Amino acid sequence: MNESATGDAHEVRGDAGPAAGAAGRAGREMAPVAAGAGDGTRAVRAGLPEPAKYEPTLPGPVFAAHYHLPGEPTGPYTYGRDENPTWTLLERAVGELEAPGQDGIETLVFASGMAAISAVLFSQLRAGDVCVLPDDGYQALPLVRAQLEAYGIEVRTAPTGGDAQLDVLDGAKLLWIETPSNPGLDVCDIRRLAEAAHARGALVAVDNTLATPLGQRPLELGADFAVASGTKQLTGHGDILLGYVVGRDPETMAAVRRWRKIVGAIPGPMEAWLAHRSIATLQMRVDRQSATALAVAEALRERPEVTGLRYPGLPDDPAHKVAARQMRRYGCVVSFTLPTRARADRFLDALRLVDDATSFGGVRSTAERRGRWGGDAVPEGFIRLSVGAEDPEDLVADVLRALDASAA
Ligand SMILES: *Cc1c(COP(=O)(O)O)cnc(C)c1O
């Protein structure tokens, strides 16, 4: 048969037929979307293997504790704690979003955001090292601090706002940045902090959870690691936990990889596949959610009972100027304070389109009184509202109605 007469270019590619094994499927690398492509284009194609006849666009999850491995035990796929083809595709996708067009980038996925954070900190720091953390970051950071200190690592903290971490950098081995910070939504200047840290020989990691890679790209701003919880807006449906680390230096990333192997904090193949599937809609979700978050913030700004309103996308927000320099989208979280704890509870009760639940970034709006957890330094009436993909008019109306209903 004359193959070219079939007109099917895929058929003559050789090794990529339906019989290709798991390793083969992930190994069929497709050229990443050009660095200049739009975010939506990149999101729908990120990490996909080269098309092959009779194969799905995004291969399904590979469930394997071990792989056929006769002879010398060389990779890429040997044992399920070390590597998995479904991770490989997801890692490529995340890498293409966090560092489009950059060569030599390595991405590792983890079971959760905390697994990714711990992997960087505990693989890079030794007893006697100094680590700088934010004092207003994710609520588990104080637990991390206690563990680092138990291992003989000195931990210094400073607020995110005003680039205050600059003042405690001397002698540091690693600077940990979280911007925008959760839940206070303060922002610091990543480039400025990274330059100051590098001048002192320190590594720089940025928690990019709230911004997502479509909101901000820490590696381009000078960071050594972009780290995030994929549990939030990256996957966006509130149904999986995931984390990732993206880095540019093979040696430091080898230590992060080794840590993942030692601790075994690996994502299940199903979670990894769901995450990859969800990333296809990332640009649509992030654009919709940030536009609606701005509309909600603008509506809240008009209300006398609302104080401490924060949204980095609001032109008069204290963080807006620095945020506008380094962010391309401002996220889906709005925070504000109601006069009392009781008022805040009544407000949350009165909402119909917003679930009273923790976490953020999902397609369904959620809100909570953050003070109920303890740990965050926030007033009793502090609300963290995560804006979902509902119609903006419906959501704004629901929030305003709930504010009215909670007044009495
Ligand atoms: C949720 C969150 C984490 C932790 O992520 P998990 O997936 O819950 O482990 C870390 N950093 C920030 C900023 C977060 O919001």
Side-chain angles (χ1 to χ4, degrees), residues 112-115 117 138 178 182 207 209 229 231-232 241-242 360:
S112 68
M114 284 314 301
I117 290 171
Y138 184 61
E178 185 180 310
N182 170 21
D207 184 328
T209 303
S229 168
T231 311
K232 315 291 171 55
L241 282 101
L242 189 87
F360 61 87

Side-chain angles (χ1 to χ4, degrees), residues 316-335:
D316 52 352
D317 186 275
H320 183 69
K321 228 176 108 199
V322 55
R325 277 207 302 272
Q326 67 191 16
M327 299 183 77
R328 298 180 304 135
R329 296 172 176 88
Y330 300 105
C332 62
V333 179
V334 177
S335 64

Side-chain angles (χ1 to χ4, degrees), residues 29 32 53 67 90 95 98 129 140 150 183 200 224 226 245 268 293 306 338 355 375 384 391 397 399:
E29 191 158 358
K53 195 170 186 180
Y67 307 86
L90 174 62
E98 281 283 358
D129 286 344
R200 292 162 173 83
D224 300 290
V245 177
V306 167
L338 292 175
D355 296 332
R384 186 182 68 187
D391 289 295
V399 167

Side-chain angles (χ1 to χ4, degrees), residues 1 43 46 152 164 189 254 301 336 361 379 392 403:
M1 184 178 91
D189 186 333
R301 189 171 48 180
F336 57 98
L403 276 178

Side-chain angles (χ1 to χ4, degrees), residues 114-377:
M114 284 314 301
I117 290 171
S118 296
V120 171
L121 291 170
F122 292 100
S123 70
Q124 303 303 318
L125 295 166
R126 309 271 175 282
D129 286 344
V130 174
C131 172
V132 174
L133 299 179
D135 67 11
D136 52 356
Y138 184 61
Q139 63 171 353
L141 287 187
L143 300 174
V144 172
R145 175 186 189 154
Q147 194 62 53
L148 289 168
E149 287 173 344
Y151 290 149
I153 295 151
E154 180 187 333
V155 178
R156 299 181 196 146
T157 64
T160 298
D163 300 341
Q165 288 177 310
L166 281 176
D167 299 336
V168 291
L169 279 181
D170 279 344
K173 171 86 188 299
L174 191 145
L175 166 65
W176 190 271
I177 293 172
E178 185 180 310
T179 181
S181 61
N182 170 21
L185 302 179
D186 256 322
V187 172
C188 60
D189 186 333
I190 296 174
R191 198 180 286 285
R192 180 173 180 225
L193 281 160
E195 278 170 10
H198 288 156
R200 292 162 173 83
L203 290 166
V204 178
V206 175
D207 184 328
N208 207 26
T209 303
L210 207 136
T212 82
L214 297 196
Q216 143 185 301
R217 300 202 287 247
L219 296 192
E220 289 177 6
L221 296 165
D224 300 290
F225 303 101
V227 185
S229 168
T231 311
K232 315 291 171 55
Q233 199 172 19
L234 183 82
T235 61
H237 293 69
D239 50 13
I240 55 174
L241 282 101
L242 189 87
Y244 67 79
V245 177
V246 187
R248 61 165 104 250
D249 175 52
E251 216 171 292
T252 51
M253 286 307 286
V256 176
R257 181 182 289 276
R258 183 170 161 272
W259 179 266
R260 183 175 72 175
K261 179 185 174 81
I262 296 169
V263 174
I266 55 167
M270 190 67 193
E271 282 75 7
W273 180 80
L274 279 169
H276 199 160
R277 186 183 195 272
S278 305
I279 283 174
T281 56
L282 182 62
Q283 185 255 7
M284 282 186 284
R285 288 185 282 108
V286 171
D287 276 356
R288 166 68 161 240
Q289 289 172 256
S290 39
T292 309
L294 181 62
V296 168
E298 283 168 344
L300 288 169
R301 189 171 48 180
E302 306 305 319
R303 298 291 298 215
E305 67 272 58
V306 167
T307 57
L309 174 67
R310 295 301 301 268
Y311 181 65
L314 271 180
D316 52 352
D317 186 275
H320 183 69
K321 228 176 108 199
V322 55
R325 277 207 302 272
Q326 67 191 16
M327 299 183 77
R328 298 180 304 135
R329 296 172 176 88
Y330 300 105
C332 62
V333 179
V334 177
S335 64
F336 57 98
T337 300
L338 292 175
T340 61
R341 171 179 177 162
R343 176 80 192 262
D345 282 336
R346 288 199 302 273
F347 167 72
L348 293 169
D349 271 353
L351 289 164
R352 287 180 195 139
L353 298 179
V354 182
D355 296 332
D356 188 342
T358 194
S359 198
F360 61 87
V363 289
R364 297 168 200 94
S365 293
T366 57
E368 69 173 337
R369 201 177 59 74
R370 200 58 194 166
R372 68 179 173 170
W373 295 98
D376 293 330

